[in-house]
Every structure is written in C-alpha cells, then in structure tokens.
Amino acid sequence: MTRSRLEQRVRELALAHGYTQQNETPQHFDPPSQRVVGDAVATSFPLRWHVDVRGSLVELLRGSWVSRYTGDVDEQFDFDFAGQAYVSTTLPGIVKGWHLHAKQCDRFVVLRGRVLLGLCDLASGKTARVVLDSQRDARCVLVPPGVAHGWKAIGSDESFVLNLCSHEYDGTDEFRRDPHAGPSSLLDVAFDWNAGVDG
C-alpha cells in the first residue's frame, strides 16, 4: 500500500470511528525569534510553554526551523531533523566536555537543573558561554559542526540535558578533549568553567 493510500485509509477509519479532524488546512507556526550565542558560535531560541487545564506542551524544534537556525551551514552539512534523541545527566560541579563533531548538529535543552554551556568555534577562535536554566529561561541551543562544546552542572541539583542530535551516534563523529585543557591546543583560548558563575 502506498503512503498516500495508507494516509487516506487512516483518515477514513478515524472519521468512521467518531474522530474529528482538527483542521482542514495546515496551520502555520512562526518560529521563535533566535538569539545568536557568542557572535554566531551557536544559535539559541526561547521555548514557549502552551498551558491549558489538561497540562502543558513545549515545542522543542520543528523541521521547518532547521534552515532558519543553521543558516548557510545546512547547505554544507546534512541536517536530519533528529537522528537520535537522548538525555544526559550531570552531577553538580561536574564538567562534561570538550566535544566536537564534523557532521553532527547538537540541539541542547535543559530539562532539569542548570548548566553553563561552553562553546568555541575552532575556525574563528570565538568562544561563548551561556547558562541554560530549566526553570527561569528555558531555551534550545543549536550547536553546529566545528563548534567545540561542553557544560558544567551548576547549582545544587543534578542536571538533565536533552539532545536532539542530527545523526545517530556511532563514535566516528565524536571528538573529545580534556574539559580542563581548554577547547584547543592550537588556539590561545582560555576557558574557565567558573568564570561568570562563581562570585
């Protein structure tokens, strides 16, 4: 059975079983406004919760947003919408990094706790840091290929970070460096995981 025939059959079954179609025509949802992190090292955008009496829903990413937030980069790389999704937990004070990918785009959302996300574009040497907070400023950060990244769990709670990455992990596109050695051995780039957090 072809995909279009299967879709038609499901529609017929739904209506026959008392379901109603939400909309006759597709709805258009504008993407949220983006915020450049560290002079275009990465892009982040605010997440909006939609709340009603039943609970709530937050859209993390739509396929139609990908080119908007990756710009020219998506012409060079294959950005599948989500090749894999996973949650990584980090205990307070622990640093996970540095990581780097040649083809994978990471999309980070903090579900619980707070992290200091460190970023370094190895092509330009530009660095950025952003605090991702699940309660006060929920957002999704898109980290393109070539941008070294890592995070430190800050605060007193374990952090839960969701990654909707563009490719499935197989180890061939995962490059790592000691988190306290800095993001590069060639660039004179210092990165202090406590700067801007302690005070």
Side-chain angles (χ1 to χ4, degrees):
M1 181 178 293
T2 66
R3 174 174 274 183
S4 61
R5 180 64 191 128
L6 178 60
E7 289 175 11
Q8 181 60 37
R9 179 70 181 133
V10 170
R11 284 189 180 99
E12 292 168 359
L13 284 170
L15 295 173
H17 287 269
Y19 289 81
T20 58
Q21 187 173 357
Q22 281 296 110
N23 297 296
E24 294 288 327
T25 59
Q27 289 181 288
H28 175 74
F29 298 93
D30 291 326
S33 59
Q34 70 183 47
R35 178 170 35 171
V36 172
V37 178
D39 195 23
V41 172
T43 302
S44 75
F45 54 90
L47 300 177
R48 281 179 272 196
W49 284 97
H50 304 278
V51 180
D52 64 23
V53 296
R54 300 166 300 159
S56 58
L57 176 140
V58 63
E59 286 186 287
L60 301 178
L61 191 66
R62 287 176 173 257
S64 60
W65 299 354
V66 172
S67 62
R68 174 183 170 106
Y69 295 127
T70 56
D72 295 336
V73 176
D74 72 333
E75 295 175 9
Q76 303 169 29
F77 299 94
D78 177 22
F79 283 99
D80 294 329
F81 178 59
Q84 183 177 4
Y86 68 83
V87 174
S88 175
T89 68
T90 309
L91 295 172
I94 299 296
V95 177
K96 288 188 175 180
W98 290 94
H99 300 91
L100 178 69
H101 309 291
K103 65 180 180 178
Q104 179 173 299
C105 176
D106 287 321
R107 301 171 185 108
F108 297 126
V109 176
V110 175
L111 302 176
R112 178 178 150 196
R114 297 173 69 215
V115 300
L116 171 67
L117 178 64
L119 303 162
C120 180
D121 184 339
L122 295 185
S124 68
K126 294 177 183 174
T127 63
R129 62 185 72 236
V130 61
V131 174
L132 300 176
D133 188 321
S134 63
Q135 297 296 312
R136 292 189 176 87
D137 186 23
R139 58 186 42 252
C140 180
V141 176
L142 283 74
V143 181
V147 175
H149 53 280
W151 65 71
K152 177 181 180 178
I154 55 178
S156 58
D157 295 327
E158 182 176 17
S159 297
F160 288 62
V161 178
L162 170 67
N163 186 4
L164 298 167
C165 44
S166 61
H167 294 77
E168 291 184 24
Y169 180 83
D170 68 5
T172 61
D173 191 43
E174 175 83 10
F175 300 89
R176 295 185 181 190
R177 183 170 164 75
D178 183 287
H180 300 287
S184 170
S185 61
L186 296 177
L187 301 171
D188 186 22
V189 177
F191 195 92
D192 182 356
W193 288 105
N194 295 317
V197 178
D198 291 343

